[in-house]
Amino acid sequence: MSPTTPSLRPASVLLPTARQAAVVAVFTLSLSWLLHVLSGTSYLGVFGRIGFIGAALLMAYSVAGALRPRWMGLGPARLAAVVLTAPVAALVTALVTQRSHFIAYLGDTQTLVGHFLMVFLAIFFGVLFSLVAMRNERRERERADRLGVELEKNRLERELLDARLRMLHAQIEPHFLFNTLSNVEALVASGSPNAGPVLRHLIAYLRAAMPRLNDADATLETELQLVRSYLELMQLRMPDRLQFTVAAPARAGALRFPAMALLTLVENAIRHGIDPNIDGGRIDVGGRCDDTTGAMVLWVDDTGKGMSETAQPGTGLSNLRTRLHAFYGDGARVDLHEVVPHGLRVELHFHPGGKP
């Protein structure tokens, strides 16, 4: 293709926008009224000429964006089209209005000065409106580019978040499974008569729990059901050393909740609180919702051995914090409190309306 060959653009570019047409219409009406008052000529006659010139310049501006040669930038092409169209449009209006008197029209100094004044005004205002329109178009493109970048950034953040959640689930699954199997191993090694019932409960529990490990639509209600089933299983293993309660907070229902989050805390309470304690202990699981703010707090409260002064939060709590932030935003948190005379209370604070 030679340098002077016009570049092909979509046909829709040939038409001006409704906003551009409205601005030109309002301006031509106002300018026509002003020239009518100053010259004393017919308003309809003045508006006919000014309106035709304005429409011609608007079409030239739009068409130039579609048919400009490749060697010319979009801005210069539009300005050149407006400057070249202005005298041609003014000449056409003179031919249409004067007809057989056109030669006499050109010979009269006063009318010729008026004609050149109209050409000057057409070029001046045409160039001015073109510059304003191009600036607005540039701003719209920049806004659209920023929006596109922001959408792409959000998409990448969601993909990163999904990858992190999959990684956390992958860490939780073997941790949960190995802890549960170690409990069964302890029962079998001690020769407990409860080994058979516990094993049957364990199989039923794993069948119900394992499909939910990767459940992206897990709810607080299903989580509390798993917690209750797990504690019933653990109570079969140590009936004289474990008591528990599981109370669902108001409006728990279908509240979206990270799968296995509460269960991780209950597992930790069994493993680090109840099991090492000679007398066992009690685990209470509950929560409440603030009716005013909608904020939710859930807790796992145990009367076991408690946390030693040198203990450090492990991978489970670290993963739990990350998952809460992913579900409910950075305002979600995990708090640990010592229980008097001994034990530990872990609280999950979050707002259900929070966003990742």
Side-chain angles (χ1 to χ4, degrees):
M1 184 178 291
S2 63
T4 58
T5 302
S7 58
L8 298 178
R9 302 298 173 87
S12 59
V13 182
L14 295 173
L15 299 176
T17 65
R19 180 180 179 183
Q20 291 172 343
V23 170
V24 170
V26 172
F27 179 76
T28 54
L29 287 170
S30 303
L31 183 60
S32 299
W33 179 84
L34 179 61
L35 293 178
H36 157 70
V37 172
L38 294 177
S39 64
T41 55
S42 169
Y43 176 77
L44 290 179
V46 175
F47 174 71
R49 298 186 65 178
I50 298 297
F52 175 80
I53 294 174
L57 295 182
L58 181 58
M59 286 302 301
Y61 175 89
S62 300
V63 171
L67 302 180
R68 65 180 177 88
R70 291 190 179 275
W71 51 265
M72 182 178 288
L74 179 60
R78 284 175 165 173
L79 293 178
V82 168
V83 171
L84 293 175
T85 302
V88 174
L91 186 62
V92 170
T93 61
L95 284 171
V96 172
T97 56
Q98 300 301 319
R99 298 180 183 176
S100 60
H101 304 288
F102 180 70
I103 301 300
Y105 171 81
L106 294 179
D108 185 82
T109 304
Q110 184 176 357
T111 56
L112 192 60
V113 169
H115 177 79
F116 281 114
L117 176 61
M118 185 172 293
V119 172
F120 170 78
L121 291 176
I123 294 176
F124 175 79
F125 287 112
V127 170
L128 177 63
F129 277 83
S130 296
L131 292 174
V132 173
M134 287 188 291
R135 184 191 64 176
N136 291 336
E137 290 176 1
R138 183 171 61 252
R139 288 180 175 177
E140 289 296 329
R141 286 195 302 271
E142 292 173 351
R143 187 180 297 112
D145 290 342
R146 288 196 299 270
L147 179 60
V149 170
E150 188 66 23
L151 291 176
E152 180 66 13
K153 178 183 176 183
N154 290 339
R155 184 186 67 82
L156 293 175
E157 287 179 347
R158 286 196 301 271
E159 290 181 357
L160 177 61
L161 179 59
D162 290 341
R164 291 176 64 189
L165 287 176
R166 286 194 296 270
M167 179 190 70
L168 294 175
H169 279 306
Q171 294 175 348
I172 290 170
E173 289 176 15
H175 177 267
F176 160 74
L177 183 59
F178 292 146
N179 279 355
T180 308
L181 291 177
S182 67
N183 290 329
V184 176
E185 181 186 19
L187 268 182
V188 173
S190 64
S192 171
N194 289 327
V198 168
L199 187 57
R200 287 193 296 271
H201 277 80
L202 173 62
I203 293 172
Y205 173 70
L206 289 179
R207 283 176 177 170
M210 292 304 289
R212 296 178 181 175
L213 286 171
N214 285 313
D215 189 358
D217 298 321
T219 64
L220 180 55
E221 183 178 14
T222 58
E223 180 72 6
L224 290 172
Q225 291 174 359
L226 284 178
V227 166
R228 186 178 290 107
S229 298
Y230 177 80
L231 287 172
E232 288 172 352
L233 180 61
M234 292 300 101
Q235 194 174 46
L236 285 175
R237 183 171 69 87
M238 42 183 175
D240 299 329
R241 300 179 58 244
L242 174 63
Q243 292 81 41
F244 71 89
T245 60
V246 178
R251 295 188 293 179
L255 173 65
R256 182 169 170 261
F257 191 78
M260 319 303 283
L262 269 180
L263 189 60
T264 298
L265 298 180
V266 173
E267 279 189 280
N268 285 341
I270 293 289
R271 184 178 182 182
H272 302 293
I274 305 301
D275 269 346
N277 195 32
I278 297 177
D279 298 326
R282 180 182 183 85
I283 294 179
D284 295 309
V285 180
R288 66 175 180 273
C289 180
D290 191 316
D291 294 331
T292 303
T293 64
M296 179 78 72
V297 56
L298 303 174
W299 61 77
V300 174
D301 199 346
D302 73 76
T303 60
K305 186 176 181 181
M307 181 179 290
S308 65
E309 296 181 359
T310 58
Q312 297 293 328
T315 303
L317 284 179
S318 176
N319 286 353
L320 178 56
R321 287 191 176 93
T322 302
R323 298 175 69 209
L324 281 181
H325 291 167
F327 267 73
Y328 305 118
D330 293 337
R333 70 180 194 272
V334 180
D335 292 343
L336 278 67
H337 305 282
E338 292 285 348
V339 175
V340 178
H342 52 78
L344 185 67
R345 179 185 178 93
V346 184
E347 295 181 349
L348 308 181
H349 295 262
F350 58 92
H351 196 290
K355 296 181 180 180

